[in-house]
Amino acid sequence: MASAIFKSSLTKKFWMALTGIFLISFLVVHCAINATIFFNDGGKTFNVWAHFMGTNIIIRTMEIVLFAGLLLHVIDGLILYFQNRKARPVKYAYEKSSASSTWYSRSMALLGTLILLFLILHMYHFWFKTRITHLDVTNHVMMIDGLEYENLYAQMQLVFSNLIVVIVYVLGCISLFWHLLHGFKSAFQSLGFNHLKYKNAIAFVGDAFSVIIPAIFAAMPLAFYLKFIQ
Amino acid sequence: MNLTLKVWRQKSTSEQGKLVEYKVSEISEDMSFLEMMDVLNYKLIESGDDPVAFDHDCREGICGMCSMFINGEAHGPNRGVTTCQLHMRSFKDGDTIYIEPWRSAAFPVIKDLMVDRSAFDRVQQAGGFISVNTSGRTLDANAIPVPKEDADKSFDAATCIGCGACVATCPNGSAMLFVSAKVSQYALLPQGQVERKERVLNMVKKMDEEGFGNCSNIGACEVQCPKNISLDNIARMNREYLMASIKPEN
Ligand code: SF4
Ligand code: FES
């Protein structure tokens, strides 16, 4: 399997694009569900959805696929990074890169690493605490319509009461913004979609997506910290 | 005008090179960049020094031999031109100009500013051709109908002169723009259909073997290409490769 994935420069590119698009689709779901905190209903809607995501068999299976996809994206990215450095061993004494490309398109590996570091912290805050150990909060159950729900919302409130954490999360979202700004369009180009008819549409959707999704994500820790939502 | 040049000097592939500073004076703004280099070389020869080795041939932007990385950009600051088409009016009196060879693992420096671009030839030999019947009944290419749009796109791709600026510019040292131009030029024409699938597979394989990097859609190649070869060709090659991998036989 590994040989089929990493067979050539182009197969590596296809897998980068496919896993990228898959991760993008995950972002949509994750963002939509988390955005229910903005209902400001004390976390009722959010906790119900979080419970669904944590118990539904299809979702749990997709969680494994998601990890696999992320891992593949990271490994493929690292392989590309090191191979590409080898392909350009000697640096120019004077290189005017900004004349022909954007800094973020040249810095996908760096941005990806920042996002990965953020993800490790993020997973520790939430995924690890709900799936492996237990929530840090004392009010870890919420009663909704007579049923017990794990109070992930309270965990969010707790985590985002720390200013440093909030700043790190916002920085993570900013890295994601730059990564997506190149990655979204890039994925479609890699898969060969770039007909004049929809090239501009993809670029537009890509730019809009890169701004909107990270902005909504960044608004979450900020809203908790600034007590816009209780 | 008077200029300060910082030129990469390297005796051979195996030896270490370095930037050496030279002064040139009385350079006319009507001179081409290569003529300015000629002035420098005359000066070096007169003083008994080794002239700067650089590639050139047609000096009119069609052979793709000239290859200099000038002030941080392949073929210098202007767009859509080769080094030989760059004129000194693009510079100012007193300027300092950095002149370096293409940098890529696949293009080793032969001497000074000359690099070995035979990797491109080998990629081309791996599939950049069509089979034509030479038994005496060769079909007149003009007698084969080709849709205008395809002919135009194919022609645009075929204007690639194989200079290597795309590789030199790419932070990944990728040759995708060149290879995709070659793949596209044939994929779009009826004559190119016979080897269509094996062509893209073989050329990409060879490209990888030669040590070129992987494309990450940075897009610098398209900006610096003297023939304005479009990234659309890379997307086309990606499609061609995907189709050929999924269904290798015709
Ligand atoms: S694609 Fe452009 S830059 Fe690359 S070899 Fe061809 S002409 Fe030169
Ligand atoms: S010398 Fe032929 S293209 Fe410049």
Side-chain angles (χ1 to χ4, degrees), chain A residues 80-95:
Chain A
L80 290 173
Y81 175 75
F82 287 108
Q83 284 185 343
N84 290 347
R85 274 185 31 153
K86 234 175 75 193
R88 264 284 288 277
V90 185
K91 295 258 163 306
Y92 289 104
Y94 180 11
E95 186 167 13

Side-chain angles (χ1 to χ4, degrees), chain A residues 101-109 111 178 182, chain B residues 216-219:
Chain A
S101 59
T102 57
W103 71 268
Y104 54 90
S105 70
R106 297 189 301 270
S107 315
M108 291 300 274
L111 291 166
W178 291 116
H182 177 68
Chain B
S216 60
N217 306 317
I218 290 172

Side-chain angles (χ1 to χ4, degrees), chain B residues 2 22 28 46 83 116 123 150 163 175 177 194 201 203 208 215:
Chain B
N2 300 325
Y22 299 103
S28 148
E46 272 167 21
T83 300
D116 179 359
V123 172
D150 291 352
C163 65
L177 197 63
V194 181
L201 295 175
M203 289 182 85
D208 292 346
C215 171

Side-chain angles (χ1 to χ4, degrees), chain B residues 52-91:
Chain B
V52 178
F54 61 87
D55 268 322
H56 62 106
D57 190 11
C58 71
R59 297 207 177 196
E60 53 184 8
I62 50 175
C63 74
M65 278 312 280
C66 56
S67 48
M68 291 182 194
F69 208 77
I70 302 161
N71 273 351
E73 294 184 76
H75 296 300
N78 296 356
R79 298 288 170 255
V81 292
T82 52
T83 300
C84 59
Q85 294 170 296
L86 173 66
H87 284 80
M88 296 315 293
R89 54 182 161 270
S90 301
F91 299 89

Side-chain angles (χ1 to χ4, degrees), chain A residues 8-10 12-14 80 83-84 87-88 92-94 96 99-101 105 182 186 189-190 192 194 199, chain B residues 19 69 72 98 100-101 103 105 168 170 172 176 207-208 214-218 220 231-232 235 238-239 241-242:
Chain A
S8 75
S9 51
L10 288 198
K12 274 174 278 188
K13 208 172 139 125
F14 294 142
L80 290 173
Q83 284 185 343
N84 290 347
R88 264 284 288 277
Y92 289 104
Y94 180 11
K96 210 167 155 191
S100 45
S101 59
S105 70
H182 177 68
S186 181
Q189 162 82 5
S190 286
N194 81 331
K199 197 154 102 181
Chain B
L19 283 174
F69 208 77
Y98 281 76
E100 297 174 75
R103 295 291 187 203
C170 177
N172 304 328
M176 293 257 184
M207 167 177 82
D208 292 346
N214 304 279
C215 171
S216 60
N217 306 317
I218 290 172
L231 289 181
D232 294 358
N238 295 343
R239 286 199 296 275
Y241 188 89
L242 205 55

Side-chain angles (χ1 to χ4, degrees), chain B residues 120 159-167 177-178 181 221 224-227 229:
Chain B
F120 266 12
T159 57
C160 163
I161 52 176
C163 65
C166 42
V167 177
L177 197 63
F178 165 78
C221 52
Q224 300 286 5
C225 170
K227 297 297 157 187
I229 300 293

